[in-house]
Every structure is written in C-alpha cells, then in structure tokens.
Amino acid sequence: MTEQKATNVHWHHGQVSREDRNKLLGHKGATLWFTGLSGSGKSTVAVALENALTARGALCYRLDGDNIRLGINKNLGFSAADRTENIRRVGEVAKLFVDVGVIALSSFISPYRADRQLARETHEKDSLPFIEVFVDVPLDEAEKRDPKGLYKKARAGEIKNFTGIDDPYEAPENAEIHLRTDQLTLEQEVEVLLKELEKRGIIPAK
C-alpha cells in the first residue's frame, strides 16, 4: 500500500518556514505517540493533556484511534496489513500537524514495533520531534476496566484479531516516556508529559 503510484509529482516548497509558524504560535510542534493495550488509558491521558496544553495557550490536536477509523481510515479493518496501513496514514497526518507547529496527540494501540518505528522515521527524516509514550497497564487490569466491553467480546470469540487476546502487542523497548497508569494518577501522568515537553523546548516552561 506504500508504493508510490502517482508519477511526475514533485514537492512544492512554500515561502513560510517552520520557524515562522513556530514563532506565530509561540511553541514548537511535536507528535506524542500514545501506544498501549485497549483500556490502558491512552485516550484518557491524551484528553487530559489536550486540556492542560490548551489552558497554557498551546495549539494541539488529538488523533484518536476510533475517530480516525470513522473517517480517513474507515476503509481499513484489523488485519495485520490494515493495522500497518492505519498507522502509516496516521504517521503522515501527524507529521503534517507537527510541520504546521501543532502538538499532535496520537492515541493508537499500534501493536507492532515496526509500524511505530515507521511513524517515527516519517518524522525524523524531516527533523520533526516524535515522542513515544508507552501507556502501560497489566492485561488483567485492562480487562477489569474494559470500558467498551471489547475484552469480554474477544474472550467470547465475538471479536477476532483482538490485541492482547488473539493478536500480539509488541511493547516499546525504548519509549521516551513510560506511564504506568495503574500506579499514577491522571494528574501525575499529565505532569510527566508537560515536563517532558518543557525539557525538549516544545512548550515554554512555566
């Protein structure tokens, strides 16, 4: 699916630089890539961080797994190939947000390391910040939470290819941030993330 099919196409450079856009916004763009099991708390912490960043005057946007599959990726299922294409597209969309100067909060199970690495490389080849956030919780705790009732359906055989049950989850080996959501409060998680963004010079320190 990643083959370049269109021919005679060339990147058209503009006259407004990334630095111009960063100056306009008062901060830099970056992608925070939240990965973890269903029910780990990815979307919850992304929503809370979005609120905190907005309160500080930083422009951000959430790219949420379910939301994306209702629009740009509505033609994709949950096979390994479709999961890979799902993450590839999201990586490209997030990259565009970051180039504009927006902080992209991407919440996706993204179970395969190779797919997450591709999203990282998509950013890094253009010197755009990519911060992997492992939203970690034990499987049994995720099943207890089961906010959408998906684990119950997967255990009953009603959902196939469900990550953590009959499909693998390849945990990050070197994530920039590791959040244990069964050990931290939501407020503590947001504070960790804000401090990291300050340390990297993405947002001004308070």
Side-chain angles (χ1 to χ4, degrees):
M1 290 188 185
T2 59
E3 177 188 355
Q4 178 71 50
K5 293 186 177 180
T7 59
N8 299 311
V9 292
H10 306 278
W11 188 268
H12 188 181
H13 292 280
Q15 295 183 337
V16 178
S17 70
R18 187 180 301 160
E19 290 71 24
D20 292 332
R21 292 189 287 268
N22 290 344
K23 185 176 180 181
L24 181 66
L25 292 172
H27 62 81
K28 297 178 181 179
T31 286
L32 278 80
W33 192 279
F34 298 91
T35 176
L37 293 169
S38 177
S40 62
K42 299 181 301 298
S43 295
T44 299
V45 69
V47 167
L49 180 60
E50 181 183 38
N51 285 333
L53 286 170
T54 301
R56 290 178 61 160
L59 185 60
C60 55
Y61 191 81
R62 282 186 306 108
L63 298 168
D64 185 81
D66 282 2
N67 295 356
I68 292 293
R69 284 183 176 277
L70 290 170
I72 191 172
N73 286 351
K74 66 181 180 180
N75 65 322
L76 299 176
F78 291 95
S79 68
D82 280 2
R83 286 180 186 274
T84 292
E85 177 61 10
N86 182 51
I87 297 308
R88 187 195 70 80
R89 292 183 193 177
V90 173
E92 294 286 355
V93 170
K95 172 188 167 183
L96 293 175
F97 273 104
V98 178
D99 191 41
V100 172
V102 174
I103 300 171
L105 310 177
S106 301
S107 302
F108 294 83
I109 292 173
S110 44
Y112 306 129
R113 293 190 190 104
D115 296 345
R116 299 194 300 268
Q117 180 62 24
L118 179 60
R120 178 185 293 277
E121 292 172 357
T122 296
H123 286 66
E124 291 181 346
K125 71 180 181 180
D126 286 331
S127 301
L128 295 168
F130 183 94
I131 303 168
E132 187 175 43
V133 183
F134 181 21
V135 186
D136 187 9
V137 69
L139 177 60
D140 60 347
E141 177 62 26
E143 288 200 65
K144 288 178 186 176
R145 297 177 182 180
D146 203 10
K148 302 173 186 176
L150 300 179
Y151 283 102
K152 184 177 181 180
K153 291 181 179 179
R155 290 292 188 189
E158 298 173 23
I159 299 177
K160 301 299 183 182
N161 307 122
F162 192 79
T163 301
I165 304 301
D166 57 353
D167 249 21
Y169 177 75
E170 298 173 358
E173 296 176 326
N174 296 293
E176 282 81 3
I177 300 175
H178 187 168
L179 298 178
R180 288 293 304 265
T181 60
D182 59 329
Q183 299 177 8
L184 297 171
T185 66
L186 184 57
E187 292 74 17
Q188 289 171 329
E189 293 166 23
V190 170
E191 187 63 22
V192 168
L193 296 165
L194 290 174
K195 290 298 184 185
E196 183 68 18
L197 291 173
E198 290 177 354
K199 184 180 75 173
R200 290 172 176 265
I202 306 299
I203 60 174
K206 290 186 71 174

